[in-house]
Amino acid sequence: DKAPFKLIVQLDWVAEPEHGGFYQAQARGWFREAGLDVTLIPGGPGAHVMPSVATGRAHIGQAGDIDTLLQQAEGLPVVQFAAVFQDDPAGILVHADSPVRRFEDLQGKTIIARPGWPFLDFLKKKYGLRVNVIAQNFSSAAFLGNREALQQGYNIAEPYHIVQAGGQKPRFLSTWDAGFRGYAVLVTSRRFAREHPAELSAFTRAYIRGWRDYLAGDPAPAHDAMKQANTSNTDGFLAFSRQAIIDERLVTGRDADGGPAKIGRLDPARFAAQIALLEDMGLLAKGKVTTATAITTEFLPK
Amino acid sequence: MAVFPLDTAPRPSPLLGRMSAPPTVEFHGVTKRFGDGPLVLDRVSLTVAAGDFVSIIGPSGCGKSTALRLIAGLSPLSGGRIAIGGQAPEEAAAETAFVFQEPTLLPWLNVAHNVELPLRLRGTPAAQRAATRARVLDLVRLGERAAAHPRQLSGGQKMRVSIARALSLAPRLLLLDEPFGALDEMTREHLNEELLAIREQERWTAFFVTHSVAEAVFLSNRIFVLSANPGRLHTEIAVPLPYPRTPETRHSPRYHEIVANVSRVLRSVVDAVA
Amino acid sequence: MAVFPLDTAPRPSPLLGRMSAPPTVEFHGVTKRFGDGPLVLDRVSLTVAAGDFVSIIGPSGCGKSTALRLIAGLSPLSGGRIAIGGQAPEEAAAETAFVFQEPTLLPWLNVAHNVELPLRLRGTPAAQRAATRARVLDLVRLGERAAAHPRQLSGGQKMRVSIARALSLAPRLLLLDEPFGALDEMTREHLNEELLAIREQERWTAFFVTHSVAEAVFLSNRIFVLSANPGRLHTEIAVPLPYPRTPETRHSPRYHEIVANVSRVLRSVVDAVA
Amino acid sequence: MRRTLLQILLPALTAAVVIAIWMAINLGLSADTRFLLPGPGAVIDAFGDQRTELSRAAWNTSQGALIGFGLAIVVSVLASLLLSLSPLVRSSLYPLLMALQMTPLPILAPICVLWVGAGLKSVALLTFVIAFFPLVVNTTQGLISTDRNLVEFFDLCRASRWQQLFHLRVPAALPYFFTGLRIAATLSPIGAVVADMNAGTSANDGGGLGFQAVIYASQAKYAALFATAITTCVLGFLLNAVVLGLGWLALHHWHDSYERSDR
Amino acid sequence: MRRTLLQILLPALTAAVVIAIWMAINLGLSADTRFLLPGPGAVIDAFGDQRTELSRAAWNTSQGALIGFGLAIVVSVLASLLLSLSPLVRSSLYPLLMALQMTPLPILAPICVLWVGAGLKSVALLTFVIAFFPLVVNTTQGLISTDRNLVEFFDLCRASRWQQLFHLRVPAALPYFFTGLRIAATLSPIGAVVADMNAGTSANDGGGLGFQAVIYASQAKYAALFATAITTCVLGFLLNAVVLGLGWLALHHWHDSYERSDR
Ligand SMILES: Nc1ncnc2c1ncn2[C@@H]1O[C@H](COP(=O)(O)OP(=O)(O)OP(=O)(O)O)[C@@H](O)[C@H]1O
Ligand SMILES: Nc1ncnc2c1ncn2[C@@H]1O[C@H](COP(=O)(O)OP(=O)(O)OP(=O)(O)O)[C@@H](O)[C@H]1O
Ligand SMILES: [Mg+2]
Ligand SMILES: [Mg+2]
């Protein structure tokens, strides 16, 4: 029988439950069953997922769909082929005792965020909000140190760390509550998609199986691997983060039709709406990307 | 040859609050070695009266410059004691001017500013500084090069700037380390005479290092001959020629006799070494 | 007084492939000014035969060092032409040694390494270098200071290192800019005699700047007197004393006569300036 | 004359060679990877497209860079004067300065933001931290390298500590100071850019070049990113030109690093 | 003797004062903001808790810093030799070096990662970029500041260009070189940390201190973040100590920046 196909996956951050599908499938040996020899490269502050995938240094990468659309518009030869999260758990962290309760309350406020976060453009468009940004670099110090502060964050991580550091659990304004629904996706280069469709299909099947088992079954194999890959993982954090993913139905979908069957699925209609919205907001030049060029559902299980 | 009064405005001594007088200088068994090297000066004892013009002669490397540096307090003694007007060199109230063996000019200042620098450090007003500078530069015949930088000067010109700078100070203790070695005989004689003329106007005690016995005899009333390895005070010779001395002094038989005598002493010192 | 043969192994001239002979030196209307400053040398013309020992004397700042630098090709001419063995200074095949007016030692090398440096640059083997170094350091009586760094030397010692370094080269053209100015009379006379002794062994053309007329007469067969502002060739004086010259030469009436004569010329030059 | 011409031609030639190599690499890259090194044409277009953002960002970053640079000069000179006092002072205080220099920005930036607020003030302060160290090390070395003979001359003149500093040590230290200044002038704009990435804000004045760079990078607008980098470089070049000019004024008439016209 | 004692006591005193101030601020901070400056106790605990990560990260960063530093020394010396040839070469090539120095890391890092891969190689390369510039500027300035009289002496000796370089210009440039080296020794560890933030990876070898710093910052583990910073500083101190020692060996017997024992 054939030697397993070597496949390199570039993660966007250090090993955490958001990569549960990968680690569970890897730990259970399902990639190998599918004839794949998968290497998971943890990301971090300098993961450079998109250049790595575009240039073939990695075959598959994890990213946000909106960033990916913007980059595809700039000519990056990549394609989105599976969902990680049906809804990106990004949002705005708000101190527990802050008067900010609704998006409308953000008028005139300053948010600690990554410069160019498209969600803020969306808020501006939808609510007529004017907000300012302070550039941040993954640190929540400026948030913790200032009771008025607002910060971009991940619902499945920051709240836990802030509580651990002795802060009060912050409230969270989710992007999806504003109607800004992004996916977290897997991407590959067009060339790889063209040349290795079978391997991609096999990969996706194993990956979805991994997620299903991670969420419903015993997460211990994945968690052990994650702790090994990233020694600062604690059982407490892994449990918290996995539970948040389950509770918020990030992988299985928040819509009425959500459920295990939706794991990994991409909805072309939602993408079309997304593209139209970005075009409308002036972030995407009209016609630069279409659903047809941006995504493919070819490798998802039929 | 005109003699110009040099910055003779009364200056209070930093310690005594009045015009300071030229100091006496005493060496009591002065010994000097550098680090753990050999002895450079070995138990040198001598006494110099206020207003004496002392020449120090001796072979190259016998410790003449070292002796001057000890008097100036630039270098610590290894043994013995030096008293200047009764005080330790570092504390001596006497105002000292030192013409180093090398010109020691500030390369970023032009000649005028180099000469004015010590006065400036004392806070002398600009007008007075300029007047003094003009006078001393004329004295060393460098008035026209006032705007030049040191690197644009000849070796002798640099040395003359250094001399002018020292003379501008009207010091009470004057240390001159081969100041005229790089000058032609005529310029040298001219400056010898100027120096003596200034001495009539101002009063200082001078130590003068030279390799020219004739110059030593012409200028000084006492000559110390050092021997080398280690530097010891070999002989002290008095020069009983009266001041003021003039160019004619150089033609007097007495003068030639003393020169011959000192030369003989010096030769015996050097021969002992070689 | 022993004379040591100095690095006399045959050395091919870089251009001719055989032992080079001492060169002739010709100045044809040489003019020099720095930048747009005044003339420093004004139409100087002179001819020096191969093997001549030429002294240059003149008042401080008249252009003696400048003339030497022009011969060495260190400074561009402003007008006229210099030919060394028929070639331009920069191209001259003659091997030149220059004792600068200032010692110009490398502060990070000790005395021994400073002296050996030029031989090292030529690729002389270590053993030969060490032998030569020992000889020239003995000559200037600094054998014991071989391990010292320049900053640990007296002024005269530094100059002697510089002289030793030049002598180690067995050059064909020797340029000496007041080499003995910082030395006592005895050391000076000793080195004068050594220099002449070496001259008997090796053959070079020498230019020697000095402020001592006696020294100029004792050493050279021709003396050029420069006048200042601008530097012009005032007089050329032949010294008809036969070589080899010995300490006795200094006592001959002929010698004294010439010294007196040169002094008179020099004095007239300086008086014209003052 | 020939000299001056060369002095203009050669750098221009270098620039031309660089652009040629740039274009060659750009063309040589496979279609898949070409985006990483956009061609000169694309970058020029980006300058046109983004001129409003870029000029605003450049203006903001220039302010941060200049204030930080100025602050670094003033503080480093004062610190160097202190450090030059004795080896003891140096061995006591240098480690402190090194620690300041070596504290990673993720620690410094939030503290800075909390302390003086995000934006210009923080950017200037962080730029200061980056530009300060090369200046202080060079200036101190200059101050302690003074020729001993001149120091002795000043001692003899009974010059006060201050006089020795201002009339001797400071002028003698200028060659070192200007060397440090050139490093700092180069580090200041890039320091301001990095600071802007960590503590910039879109409030009031709008972000600087670092802020823009993060946006362009996240959107894979590589041509615009290069335009940002080129703008940073231009700032650095301008600052360097000023420093070079000042250095020439202060040193050319006496220091051996300038060729003498009067040989 | 008294001297040596002071030389140990005074820096220790400084350290003590710093720690005292640190504790005072920590206690003085409101409960809300105290986390920003964790107390010494917390930091010591963090060293204990995180010793595995920290020592692994320190090892990785040390490698990156040392390789980058070494590379910077070699390349900067070569570049300086080239730059010292003439003012024309300098005006042609300096802008290039400046441009390299001023290209923001978000541009350099991805290119670097693509070129040599994330992790050690990229970190070393980016560290090199950061440490290189101060070295090249200082070394070049040293090479062109040679005493003109000595240059003339070498010209007269008909020394070849190489001989003039190795026997004259290089030794004369050492005081400048060591000044640059001290800056580079300080910048290398922090440069490796910053590079690690941009191009580090936890794959294979595990991340370095920069990687850890970002993770700790994102996890609000401030005591651990400070422990990271202190580890970086320790690396810098060690590197500096080596450089200082080498500088002393090369210079103390002749350069005026070292006090003479033989006065
Ligand atoms: N680089 C320079 N720039 C401008 N002028 C200079 C320069 N070098 C020398 N000069 C001037 O040229 C003249 C001749 O200088 P030079 O050094 O040749 O004199 P010299 O005869 O050797 O004098 P000395 O006996 O004092 O050494 C002097 O007036 C000097 O000031
Ligand atoms: N810093 C030093 N370290 C070690 N030895 C030194 C130092 N300075 C001077 N010496 C030695 O001390 C001796 C005396 O030096 P000094 O400079 O006093 O001689 P000098 O009489 O002035 O000679 P010259 O006439 O040559 O100037 C010399 O042998 C010299 O080598
Ligand atoms: Mg002396
Ligand atoms: Mg001269």
Side-chain angles (χ1 to χ4, degrees), chain B residues 38 58-62 64-65 101-103 141 144-145 154-158 160 178 181-189 211-214 229 263 266-267 270-271 274, chain C residues 38 58-62 64-65 101-103 141 144-145 154-158 160 178 181-189 211-214 229 263 266-267 270-271 274:
Chain B
S60 169
C62 69
K64 304 180 293 297
S65 300
Q101 195 165 2
E102 282 154 26
R141 295 181 173 153
E144 286 173 10
R145 304 288 288 161
S154 80
Q157 288 170 336
K158 274 186 261 190
R160 275 141 71 199
E178 299 185 41
L183 302 179
D184 59 288
E185 241 157 291
M186 272 49 75
T187 310
R188 194 165 179 149
E189 286 174 12
H211 286 306
S212 161
V213 172
N229 286 320
S263 291
L266 183 59
R267 200 161 287 267
V270 178
D271 285 350
Chain C
S60 170
C62 71
K64 302 180 295 295
S65 300
Q101 194 165 1
E102 282 153 27
R141 297 184 171 150
E144 287 173 8
R145 304 289 285 160
S154 80
Q157 287 170 336
K158 274 186 260 190
R160 274 139 72 196
E178 301 185 39
L183 302 179
D184 59 289
E185 242 158 289
M186 273 48 74
T187 310
R188 194 165 180 149
E189 285 175 13
H211 286 306
S212 160
V213 172
N229 287 320
S263 290
L266 184 57
R267 202 161 285 269
V270 178
D271 285 351

